[in-house]
Amino acid sequence: MQSNANSVNIGSATSDKKPYHHGDLRLALVENGMRLIETSDANHLSLREVARETGVSAAAVYRHFPDKAALMLALANEGMVRLGAAQRTATAGAGGGWDGFVASGVAYVRFAADNPALFRLVFSYVPPISLLDASLEQVGSAMRDLREDIQKLMPAHLTEAERKIAALHAWALVHGLAELILDGHVARDWAVIEKVVGGATPQLEARSSE
Amino acid sequence: MQSNANSVNIGSATSDKKPYHHGDLRLALVENGMRLIETSDANHLSLREVARETGVSAAAVYRHFPDKAALMLALANEGMVRLGAAQRTATAGAGGGWDGFVASGVAYVRFAADNPALFRLVFSYVPPISLLDASLEQVGSAMRDLREDIQKLMPAHLTEAERKIAALHAWALVHGLAELILDGHVARDWAVIEKVVGGATPQLEARSSE
DNA sequence: TGTACATCAGTGAACGCGCGTTCACTGATGTAC
DNA sequence: TGTACATCAGTGAACGCGCGTTCACTGATGTAC
């Protein structure tokens, strides 16, 4: 099945881009889109660019995706999956517990720093009108997994309400760090970032000394 | 000097937009730009749109700004100023101290929620290559003020290094909340947000119970 | 008070660009007889 | 084994769009004599 002989672009062989060989164009589009969005510094990815990179006409994309949003959603979904994987790897690597929790947070920030455009795509494309559309479901569920992963890592002695607040605090903290780094307001200083994510926050101290 | 009689667009009186009267077009552009960006839900503001809203040709903008980036920078600067003002008002309203600190953080989040496009413009347009350009200086300094305001509000008994970490923590926390709200991942539930910003974080508890 | 002139903030038409999307089409593939 | 045909994933040209920016221009304003 996976013969690599019958190239589609025999006619337009001038392109030096790696030509797409018959097989799964949908997959090739997503792969090339991911490569583009990992590489690119701009935070705008166009359908034509993905098609161009894949060595295929823009119209060909419409055989596999109803519109641009659907293509972007596929990329966002893949990004979401990778972000989750990076976090889980980090948690496991740190041996769980508090260190694992911190490692997971740092991994979140590092993922953003390493994949700026992808990170932004994930969070801007995931939940627009959310639950109605079926294709959004899988992305939505990846996002839900991420939230639940955070909650699972919370200290066990907290009440449900406390866990919710604490999880949101943790998420917002790493998300804010990520965004500030991407916008250039905060340096990629991992020693500092680890301290911020893992360190004690001043709030408790301030309260107790009030 | 501020005669309001000599309208510039006598010829094209078909427009029902409030016509621009001679005076300070630069100011009018910024004002209308601010109104547009406060209103708009999209996070893209075009030079032509601002000119249109002001009732003036797109080319007229170039009498007052060298290019689009300069216009956007002016808007970002104004946004920065307003954000700072909102925070200082909130701090003062809460009477300083810990409550003031929390109020300042909540004001930051609320400002973002109320002015999504403006908030994003501020943070994306402020620091690109930063210090080299003179017009960037004023925006840069407004940003510096904001950071210093945060640091000033930190508990006094911390060391310089601790303050730096703590300030970054606080900033990242509210910034992350803001972004997550703008992307629709977190609800505009101000009771919850106040708890997240003002509440004790789980980190310290987790560490002490480790 | 009147005339000649420089200044300069605006106009509006045009430019080239890249975009998302549509459309009639082509040519290879696989199946039915 | 050979022929007729349906399927369908691709092409490439075209569409309309809004954008940022440039350009020669116009017409009001203020000044010099």
Side-chain angles (χ1 to χ4, degrees), chain B residues 2 7 17 58 82 90 119:
Chain B
Q2 55 272 46
S7 168
K17 290 278 166 56
R82 292 193 191 179
F119 181 80

Side-chain angles (χ1 to χ4, degrees), chain A residues 48-68:
Chain A
R48 293 182 98 110
E49 205 180 344
V50 177
R52 223 178 291 130
E53 182 74 11
T54 311
V56 118
S57 75
V61 176
Y62 289 83
R63 287 280 157 203
H64 301 271
F65 299 94
D67 53 19
K68 187 197 175 180

Side-chain angles (χ1 to χ4, degrees), chain A residues 129-143:
Chain A
I129 317 97
S130 261
L131 301 177
L132 297 175
D133 187 63
S135 65
L136 271 171
E137 269 294 305
Q138 54 176 326
V139 186
S141 83
M143 180 66 81

